[in-house]
Amino acid sequence: MSDEPTTLKMVEGAPVPMGPGTESDLSLPALPAGTEMVNVIIDGRAHQVAKGANLLEACNSAGANVPYFCYHPGLSSPAVCRQCLVDVKGQPKPVPSCYTPCTDKMEVTTASPRVLDIRRQMLEFTLLNHPIDCPICDKAGECSLQQHYFDWDAKFARNDGVKVEKAKAVDIGKHIVLDQERCILCSRCIRVCAEVAKQPELTMAMRGDHEVLTTAPGRRLDNPYSLNTVDVCPVGALTSKDFRFASRVWELTSTPSVCPGCSTGCNIEVHTGKEEVKRLVPRPNDKVNKYWMCDEGRFTYKRTQTDRLGVPFVDGVPTEWDAALDQAKARLQSVLDKNPGAVGVVFSAQSTNEDLYVAAQLAFDHLGLKRAYLAGRDQGWHDDILVSADRNPNTAGAIAIGGGRLKSLIDLSQDLKKGELKALLVIGEDGVLAGDAGSAALPLQGLEALVVLAWCRDSLVDSAHVALPLAAWTEVDGTFTNKQGFVQRVRPAAPAAGDSLPTWEVLGHLGRRLGLAKDFTSARSVFLEAKQKLAYMKDADWGKTSLPVHLRFANSRG
Amino acid sequence: METSLTSRRLVLGVQEPEDLDGPDLPTEPMPLNMGPAHPAMHGTVRMVLDVEGEKITNADIQVGYLHRCFEKESEYATYTQIFPYTDRLNYVSPMLNNVGYAMAVEKLLGICEKVPERAQYIRVIVGEMSRITDHMTCLGAGAMELGAFTVFLYMLKAREWLYELLEEVSGARLTHSYLRIGGVSADLPDGFAGKLLARIAEIREVLKDVSKLLDTNRIFRDRMDGIAIITKSEAIAWGLTGPMGRSTGFEYDVRKDHPYLVYDRFDFDVPVGSVGDNFDRYMVRVEEMHQSMRIIEQALATIPDGPVIMNDPRIALPPKAETYNSIEAMIAHFKLIMDGIHVPPGEIYSFTEGGNGELGFYIVSDGTGRPWKCRVRPPCFANISILNHILKGLFIADIVPTFGMANMIGGECDR
């Protein structure tokens, strides 16, 4: 150790985020009180870390740059890639830091000549049979092997022997294609299946340079979390069928958001290319989804790209916003004038808190309606990993804002059958009345006014007197409240389809026509007002203003 | 140089502007626009003049019409992608800009010593060729604006010989983008030295002809002699460098005072003027062309064999055959193209002798493949800043030769 004064710095064994770090919602669990701390000297500087903390995490949070392929903060460490070897004083050979717990007075050198040499040799060995695929490989640009070669090897090939040939483009699962030649045998995907999905479907077979990744005999890679293997794959061995050849990664921009697939509210990054959503990847959040998301959630963006409404319709005829809003107002007003009790509003559990707040202002505070219902997608299967049965992202928020005034769809069906409803305003979002609950044969024919706000064309929209197009979740600003009560932010990642507008804005326009003396200027202003009024949003934070990150400039993927 | 200037003064004397003033005629002050689209303006620049009769009382030089966001664009380009932008700074001597920029990045990378010697010689040779084309453009156009169209045609004929050779070297007549970080993009073509030496001999003849046409030409001398005199102290105060600074006797040439590349191995002189007028600026440029040719001859005679770019996958693109046949070179190629050369965090001000003077690049790196900041010190920005000072009291007709000899290049000045 040098003579210079040592600095003491707290190292909390920080997991290394795997995303481009656009906005890390990753809040580390505080160390439990009474955790025993030890002193570790990393590259000549003393650091305090929890006893038994992972040495690799300790080194990297202390500012060292220890590379790795097989280590992943969310998985166990097998120490197979030998990239994270470091010198520990007193040990005859370098040790794999990802597999070494910190002990007191440990002296670590992360970049000794011996370590650098081993690192380089391992990379040379790994590259020996790696195919020359970069120009056609989906991972190029966010590939750890490329990154490590450039950072730690940077020597030309010394061997021009024939490479071992293995299977390419193997269809191993519903969503995944495997290229065995590209695989560097780090085993991250095997551990994702075994440890996250709890379905060990992948394994290694053969020996030596013929070793390959493959599915276990008679199995396919079909677990509900299979696409996480693509995220953790450091190279392009596992690729997503959906994203394969769809875009080059450096042409994408990343926007932090939240998956609307169920009430878990997994944190995600929306990756957009040429103003179109190309893929969703999980964003680490220790309290919600760790590093993962389910396969079903990955495809939630598809719904925002098909059958979009685009323009307002009045009696099935496309029209302008002003005309449509005037018509909606006129039709609702005629019923309101005759019998305010015959007007109902259907809220959606897919709306953001801001949309629900404006809807509640209009329906309850301004119009004083008594008939309000809560709609949502049907329940689905669930597990105890991430998938919730409730397939709506904001049921918690809707129930809180509704404050007991929202009735169920069964009530709606009964009220309609009894003929007590003459006008209905449906904040439909996406197909909320089209599923099993909705198909309880809602007798909508008797309505004098049916105004529907929706993203997509469906039978409900087709039967509406006035249909108003909404911007989808990938296109709006707002917050969802997940089942744990976390208020989490979605951000616009793509331009709104056609002339569609955010729900709060449409309701604001309609509200003004109905005499609501209030202007809502942005989702943020609605949020700030709701935060004042609603107890459960008291501690919610709108978050920083952040521009989408161009992945080419993120410099941290791979 | 010194003696010839003294002798011309003895023969012709110096005519001060006051001598031509004559009896005062009643005049009214008048604003007059010159430019931004004026045929005798080098590049797009606007001068708002206050004149009394023909006499200039104030000249407001407005630059910026050729602003292309060079510095901001550079923050979004990899270090290699910036070369084409530097070509468009001083576009009559692109090689010198390439040299200045490449050396700044190399200093930041700490690889100056590792650039192959042959590449350094090539940089000197093509740089000096560019200096000659720069001065030829300046003097040819300057003379044409004073009516000497023949000189313009002679100069451009000779300039074209050099452009042809530079095109053989780089593939492009004007926007060469020939240099790379760590060397140059390709070796000199076969037979290059012979062709260049033959052209140098011809260029010397052209310069002789031009001297005969201009040096004692009464029309030319009347417009140049004693016009727009700048003193040495003024030159230093205004930060004038290059031929404009040296015309005042300010003996500063980066190649001599802070030698870079292999300039310290060559024998060459730095010509300086004694009066600091337009004619001195003309003479200094003529002499500099001769000195550049001396340097080229020495460099061609002593250029060593060897590689022309560093053999480091982190710096230079691997050879094509390697790229297509080995994964190592493929990755290096990919990373260099997509991410760029990773320059360690830090900042550097690096300066070289450009066509118009001290060409500086100030680069700040944040450790990525793109500069965090890439600032240029364009020599002619400082050089023309003195124009307001020296044009006062001159006549409208004096603007053309004075501006011509200041040699403002819009691409460089406005960036």
Side-chain angles (χ1 to χ4, degrees), chain B residues 81 93 104 113 148 154 181 183 196 208 220 245 256 265 269 299 344:
Chain B
Q81 287 172 329
S93 52
E113 308 302 318
Y154 280 15
I181 311 297
L196 180 53
K208 246 182 229 169
F220 186 70
K256 272 279 188 222
R265 301 182 191 178
D269 298 322

Side-chain angles (χ1 to χ4, degrees), chain B residues 281-339:
Chain B
R281 292 191 263 285
Y282 160 77
M283 283 306 289
V284 164
R285 283 198 172 87
V286 171
E287 190 52 33
E288 275 188 15
M289 286 194 274
H290 287 293
Q291 297 300 329
S292 289
M293 287 186 278
R294 272 178 78 191
I295 295 173
I296 292 172
E297 282 171 340
Q298 293 171 60
L300 286 175
T302 53
I303 185 168
D305 282 334
V308 294
I309 192 158
M310 287 170 66
N311 183 31
D312 182 342
R314 285 190 188 132
I315 304 288
L317 285 184
K320 269 283 184 280
E322 281 277 314
T323 305
Y324 290 143
N325 293 299
S326 80
I327 183 66
E328 285 87 349
M330 167 60 75
I331 293 176
H333 189 283
F334 185 96
K335 293 297 268 186
L336 284 175
I337 295 292
M338 297 313 303
D339 287 0

Side-chain angles (χ1 to χ4, degrees), chain A residues 253-258 268-272 277-281 301 473-474 491 493-494:
Chain A
T253 45
S254 162
T255 312
S257 193
V258 173
I268 58 167
E269 284 174 17
V270 181
H271 287 178
T272 324
V277 178
K278 297 286 186 189
R279 66 173 177 185
L280 309 179
V281 297
Y301 77 92
W473 68 274
T474 49
R491 287 180 167 83

Side-chain angles (χ1 to χ4, degrees), chain B residues 207-251:
Chain B
L207 292 185
K208 246 182 229 169
D209 290 345
V210 167
S211 278
K212 281 183 204 159
L213 283 167
L214 293 181
D215 285 4
T216 51
N217 180 324
R218 181 64 199 251
I219 303 168
F220 186 70
R221 295 296 294 263
D222 279 356
R223 300 285 295 274
M224 303 291 272
D225 276 358
I227 306 294
I229 293 173
I230 303 170
T231 66
K232 187 174 170 182
S233 61
E234 280 175 335
I236 294 169
W238 257 275
L240 306 192
T241 49
M244 204 161 170
R246 288 191 285 273
S247 72
T248 68
F250 173 35
E251 198 175 342

Side-chain angles (χ1 to χ4, degrees), chain A residues 431-449:
Chain A
V432 286
L433 292 181
D436 288 342
S439 68
L442 290 178
L444 299 165
Q445 302 78 9
L447 292 172
E448 286 172 29

